[in-house]
Structures are given as structure tokens and as C-alpha cells.
Amino acid sequence: MIVGIHQLNYFPWVGYFDKVEKSDIFIIMDEVQLITDSYMQRNRVLNQSGQPSWLSVSFQKENFRDKKFSEIKLNDSVDWQKRQKDFLVGTYNTAPYFSEVLNLISPIFENKYDTLFEVNKKAFDIIIDMLDIKTKVILQSSLDYDRTAKKNDLVLELCKAVNADCYFSGAGAKKYMDETPFAAAGINVVYQNYLPFEYPQKFNSEFMPGLSILDVLLNCGIEKTKKLFWLSQEK
């Protein structure tokens, strides 16, 4: 059984969903701390100058490091939903599939949410549905494991909790990953090797990789994005 593990990012890039699809079980880490200025609360799209701009979700920062990610409250004094929607409308309104995509992601900008986790999970569910990914998704908080474990040991604990025999790790973890205890537990470690596909970007003649999947969807539409995504799974 192949298991992928990751914190819940905000409208992640395509490579994030590659990791989800190639896992039999994908564990969302909802008991970890929020990392400031990370993809857990923001992501990048292009502005009209062809430069990356952040779509950020505003959260309450008081004592947030003492809380689990699932407990981080939104900052209601900032209308981040209107700000994001206005930016997308003002920037991508002439993109070929703007109306199609905005209609499906509109719950992010129109529904009431209490926590950052709820926003990210809704965005995650919307994209998973668009791409027809059928991977079983479970929350870290639902598992029985040693909650004193940290970093490498925490990942191992989560793998053991679901009886994994293969851990599908992000490529960046290869620099610090200690595979020895995984091998001792009978768990093989495999690293993601994802090469992003290129697509036409409205504001760029030279392709810029690593943006939120929203940029792909707005430029290509749901069906073409799905086709490009699944073709990339075959490589």
C-alpha cells in the first residue's frame, strides 16, 4: 500500500495532486503547526504583467504557533474572500475558461468558514472532484499513533498506523530523510519525480511553472486540465 502524507495547502500546484493520485491512501496532516508564509495559507497565480501574485487567506495570528493547524481561526476583520475574487475577476476575466472555473470555485469566496483548515479542505475537495482523483483521503487526527513523535518519526508513525508498505515522499525530503527506521519497519521509501506539463499562460509567452492549479484551470479549462494531468500520470 502506497501512502502519501502532506499538510493541506491552499489551491496547490499540479504536483501536489500528482502525489495524491499516485498514493493509495493520502494522509492530510491536520495536527501539525501552521508554517507562516507557506503554501498552507496562500498560493501564487499570475498578474497582468505576467508576474506571480499571492492569493492569501487571512488568519488570526495570536498564539497560532500553540495551536494545531485545524484550530487556526480565520481573521474576520479582513475580507480576503472579496479581495481574492476581485483579483481573479480583474485579472483572469478574459481567460478562455474563466466563467467555467469561477463557478466551481465560488464556494471558497461565498461560503462562511470558521478555520483556515476548512477553507483549504474545501478547495482541495473541489480540485479532487474536478480531476476525478479517487485516492482514499484520511485525516491525521483520525489515526491512532504516537503523538509525541516529530518529523521523520511522525511520518513513520503515520505510515505504520495505516499499514503502509511504501511511503511516497516529496522529492525535497530526500536531503534530510532517514530511511533506516522505515526499512526496519518494512516500509519502502519512494521519492516523487514529477515534471510539470506546460500549457499556454495568458500573460506569459515563456512558461512559468509551480503556480497554483487555478492558473492551469483558468487557462485550459477543466477538461483539458484533466487530460493534461492524466497524461502526466502515465510518464
Side-chain angles (χ1 to χ4, degrees), residues 22-36:
K22 288 178 178 173
S23 302
D24 297 312
I25 292 178
F26 186 75
I27 300 174
I28 291 175
M29 302 181 80
D30 59 335
E31 294 189 330
V32 295
Q33 287 183 317
L34 169 64
I35 303 170
T36 54

Side-chain angles (χ1 to χ4, degrees), residues 11 16 33 37 52 101 113 146 157 185 194 229 235:
F11 279 126
Y16 184 103
Q33 287 183 317
D37 297 330
V101 174
Y113 302 96
D146 180 3
E157 281 290 311
Y194 180 71
F229 175 78
K235 295 180 180 178

Side-chain angles (χ1 to χ4, degrees), residues 87-115:
F87 177 85
L88 291 173
V89 171
T91 306
Y92 283 90
N93 65 328
T94 57
Y97 298 94
F98 173 76
S99 297
E100 174 189 54
V101 174
L102 186 66
N103 183 53
L104 289 175
I105 66 173
S106 61
I108 298 298
F109 311 120
E110 296 174 0
N111 293 355
K112 175 69 175 177
Y113 302 96
D114 185 47
T115 66

Side-chain angles (χ1 to χ4, degrees), residues 10-221:
Y10 183 60
F11 279 126
W13 77 303
V14 180
Y16 184 103
F17 295 100
D18 170 80
K19 188 175 182 181
V20 178
E21 198 283 323
K22 288 178 178 173
S23 302
D24 297 312
I25 292 178
F26 186 75
I27 300 174
I28 291 175
M29 302 181 80
D30 59 335
E31 294 189 330
V32 295
Q33 287 183 317
L34 169 64
I35 303 170
T36 54
D37 297 330
S38 72
Y39 292 109
M40 295 173 77
Q41 55 97 199
R42 62 181 189 167
N43 221 308
R44 303 182 308 157
V45 291
L46 292 179
N47 60 31
Q48 292 183 348
S49 299
Q51 297 301 311
S53 290
W54 291 103
L55 297 178
S56 300
V57 181
S58 185
F59 64 94
Q60 297 179 20
K61 296 186 177 181
E62 184 177 1
N63 300 321
F64 76 91
R65 290 186 178 86
D66 300 325
K67 301 175 182 177
K68 299 173 184 177
F69 180 48
S70 60
E71 299 170 338
I72 303 294
K73 301 286 187 179
L74 294 173
N75 181 5
D76 292 333
S77 67
V78 176
D79 195 349
W80 61 269
Q81 290 172 299
K82 182 178 187 303
R83 183 182 297 174
Q84 287 192 25
K85 186 175 182 180
D86 287 350
F87 177 85
L88 291 173
V89 171
T91 306
Y92 283 90
N93 65 328
T94 57
Y97 298 94
F98 173 76
S99 297
E100 174 189 54
V101 174
L102 186 66
N103 183 53
L104 289 175
I105 66 173
S106 61
I108 298 298
F109 311 120
E110 296 174 0
N111 293 355
K112 175 69 175 177
Y113 302 96
D114 185 47
T115 66
L116 176 57
F117 178 83
E118 290 172 350
V119 175
N120 284 12
K121 184 60 166 59
K122 181 62 177 179
F124 175 89
D125 290 343
I126 289 171
I127 302 301
I128 289 294
D129 185 57
M130 282 187 188
L131 297 178
D132 286 337
I133 295 175
K134 306 301 184 185
T135 299
K136 182 178 180 180
V137 177
I138 59 179
L139 300 181
Q140 171 190 6
S141 57
S142 70
L143 297 175
D144 182 17
Y145 68 96
D146 180 3
R147 281 171 165 75
T148 66
K150 305 293 183 184
K151 298 182 179 179
N152 200 83
D153 291 338
L154 172 58
V155 174
L156 177 58
E157 281 290 311
L158 296 178
C159 286
K160 290 162 64 176
V162 294
N163 298 314
D165 54 31
C166 179
Y167 170 53
F168 188 40
S169 173
K174 196 169 188 176
K175 295 178 289 186
Y176 55 82
M177 188 83 178
D178 181 4
E179 298 181 24
T180 304
F182 286 81
I187 301 172
N188 186 34
V189 178
V190 175
Y191 295 96
Q192 185 182 25
N193 182 27
Y194 180 71
L195 297 177
F197 56 77
E198 294 191 14
Y199 58 92
Q201 292 173 326
K202 179 174 174 55
F203 306 112
N204 270 348
S205 56
E206 185 174 341
F207 178 71
M208 182 179 293
L211 300 173
S212 166
I213 196 169
L214 290 181
D215 187 70
V216 191
L217 288 162
L218 290 161
N219 281 291
C220 299

